[in-house]
Amino acid sequence: MEKYLKKEEGLMEQQAPKLSIILLSEELEKVHAAALVGSVAAMSGMEVNFFVTMNGLVPFLKESVASKNFKTGTVGKALVEKAQPFYELIENGKEMGNLKVYACALAMDVKGWKKEDLIDLFDDVIGVTAFFGISQGGMIITM
């Protein structure tokens, strides 16, 4: 097992030292999956950058987290009841790795939201051009 894990770590370092995740869905299953992928990648030594945009920002609003009012399907309902919350996964990734979370400036502007309206995970509010600069040279996935 140890040999396998070392091989996995070696492959990850060789393949993609940087992972950027564009999160644009408010569906809890996608948010949770992105949080899990991002936190594990950060804990495995990768640089991880989240760009949360459009409806993807809704689950990160303080009022959504406080009321546990998330858009869910069948699995999402079970996640709310039984799994570690997505924001704790991201917090873990930030504490144990190199993980940054950015909110989309355009989506924040059109909704009139301020950084203070979001839970305390966000490093900054930036535009797409800045995010492309941050994610340059790495793998980008959209969820």
Side-chain angles (χ1 to χ4, degrees):
M1 182 72 171
E2 187 174 315
K3 181 179 178 183
Y4 173 75
L5 290 175
K6 285 184 179 181
K7 184 178 179 182
E8 285 283 314
E9 289 174 10
L11 288 173
M12 288 182 67
E13 290 173 8
Q14 291 173 6
Q15 291 176 348
K18 187 187 297 185
L19 173 66
S20 296
I21 301 171
I22 299 172
L23 180 58
L24 53 86
S25 174
E26 68 181 300
E27 295 172 24
L28 186 62
E29 290 87 346
K30 292 180 182 175
V31 174
H32 199 275
L36 184 59
V37 168
S39 64
V40 170
M43 288 183 230
S44 299
M46 295 177 75
E47 176 185 336
V48 177
N49 299 294
F50 277 88
F51 185 67
V52 186
T53 185
M54 304 302 166
N55 287 349
L57 286 164
V58 173
F60 291 89
L61 292 169
K62 287 179 180 173
E63 65 185 63
S64 297
V65 171
S67 64
K68 295 185 177 181
N69 184 18
F70 304 113
K71 183 176 182 182
T72 65
T74 303
V75 173
K77 290 176 185 172
L79 288 171
V80 171
E81 295 173 9
K82 300 177 182 175
Q84 184 177 18
F86 69 89
Y87 47 88
E88 286 184 11
L89 293 171
I90 295 172
E91 286 173 358
N92 292 342
K94 290 176 78 81
E95 290 172 7
M96 300 176 73
N98 184 7
L99 189 154
K100 304 278 188 208
V101 182
Y102 302 100
C104 172
L106 173 65
M108 296 287 285
D109 283 348
V110 297
K111 288 301 294 177
W113 293 328
K114 306 227 179 303
K115 187 177 174 190
E116 299 78 41
D117 296 325
L118 303 170
I119 57 176
D120 191 28
L121 282 178
F122 287 82
D123 295 281
D124 205 352
V125 177
I126 63 173
V128 172
T129 303
F131 181 70
F132 280 153
I134 290 168
S135 59
Q136 186 175 12
M139 181 184 346
I140 300 175
I141 60 173
T142 303
M143 300 180 91

